[in-house]
Amino acid sequence: MQYVQMLPEQIDAGFLDRFDRFQKVTHCWRKQENQWKLLPIAFTEQWDAEELRRTSLGLKRIAGNGAVFAAFPEGADCPAAFAAVEGEPIGSRLQYLVLHYLYTDARFRSQGLGTRLMELACAYGREQKIEKLYISAHSSEESQRFYRRMGCVEAKEIDPHLYELEPCDCHLEIRTGYHALSGADQKL
C-alpha cells in the first residue's frame, strides 16, 4: 500500500468513482439524558455516483488549504482509503483542525489503513502546531469502536456549526501530540 499526500491537481471529480463506501449498520450510539447509549438503529450506507463526485470535489478543495492523504494499492488510481484535514483552525483557542473525512473502501477494511491515515492526519496537525483534531464521526458501533481504539474522546468543545450539520454524529477529538505551554512551542 502506498500512502500519498495529494495535491489539488491530482484530484478530479472522478477521483473516487470506483470507491466502495458501503456499510451495513445495525447499532448506533446516541446521547440520551446526558449518557451515551448503543441503540438498535439499522440502515445501509452506500454512496451513489453523485456523492462520490461531491466527495471528490470536497477533497480537492481541502487539498488546497489543508491536507488529503490517500492509501493506494499497488498500480491503482483509486484510493483504498482516504483522510482529509481542513486547514483552518476552529475552537475557542483555535486548538482544533477538523478531520473532515476518514473512509476506507469496504473491500479494504481491517487492514490498518484507517489507523495509518489517522496517524498521518495527527502528524499533519502537529506540523501545523495544532493540539487536537475535531471529528464529527459516524455514530455506528463499528466506526465508534475504531475511533475509541485510536484514542478519541468526546470533544471538550462542541462546534455548533458541525453539530447542526450532523446532530446524530459523535463529536470527538484526538490529541495530535503538539502542546503549547505558556506560549512556548513544545511537543509531547
Side-chain angles (χ1 to χ4, degrees):
M1 198 65 61
Q2 181 180 12
Y3 294 87
V4 178
Q5 183 170 351
M6 304 298 294
L7 300 172
E9 56 269 20
Q10 294 173 304
I11 303 171
D12 62 15
F15 181 64
L16 297 174
D17 278 354
R18 291 181 309 287
F19 191 86
D20 186 6
R21 171 49 181 123
F22 174 83
Q23 184 178 4
K24 186 174 183 174
V25 175
T26 60
H27 290 80
C28 290
W29 289 95
R30 294 290 187 266
K31 198 166 197 177
Q32 296 180 338
E33 299 173 8
N34 218 26
Q35 287 193 326
W36 286 101
K37 297 180 181 180
L38 187 60
L39 302 175
I41 299 172
F43 59 93
T44 299
E45 187 92 45
Q46 177 78 61
W47 287 353
D48 62 15
E50 179 58 31
E51 185 63 29
L52 290 167
R53 288 184 181 282
R54 189 174 24 255
T55 302
S56 294
L57 294 175
L59 292 171
K60 183 178 186 71
R61 178 191 60 78
I62 293 169
N65 73 349
V68 173
F69 301 98
F72 290 94
E74 192 170 329
D77 61 355
C78 182
F82 61 91
V85 182
E86 297 279 359
E88 292 297 318
I90 65 167
S92 60
R93 298 181 296 106
L94 302 178
Q95 72 271 30
Y96 295 112
L97 286 179
V98 176
L99 178 63
H100 192 103
Y101 296 109
L102 177 57
Y103 289 101
T104 301
D105 184 302
R107 299 164 291 193
F108 293 93
R109 293 200 183 117
S110 300
Q111 297 180 32
L113 280 65
T115 298
R116 180 65 183 130
L117 289 170
M118 179 68 89
E119 291 167 353
L120 291 169
C122 285
Y124 176 77
R126 270 193 312 279
E127 290 167 8
Q128 302 305 306
K129 299 184 179 182
I130 296 293
E131 293 175 38
K132 303 172 185 178
L133 299 181
Y134 185 99
I135 308 155
S136 179
H138 199 289
S139 63
S140 73
E141 182 177 21
E142 301 81 10
S143 296
Q144 288 305 303
R145 186 179 313 122
F146 166 78
Y147 285 113
R148 298 301 174 158
R149 191 177 73 242
M150 292 302 305
C152 297
V153 297
E154 189 170 358
K156 306 283 186 270
E157 188 177 313
I158 303 296
D159 182 84
H161 173 71
L162 293 173
Y163 183 82
E164 185 178 315
L165 288 174
E166 295 289 351
C168 291
D169 274 5
C170 297
H171 293 260
L172 308 173
E173 64 182 42
I174 186 170
R175 292 193 156 282
T176 65
Y178 175 81
H179 189 68
L181 288 176
S182 305
D185 294 346
Q186 293 187 4
K187 289 188 178 180
L188 294 178

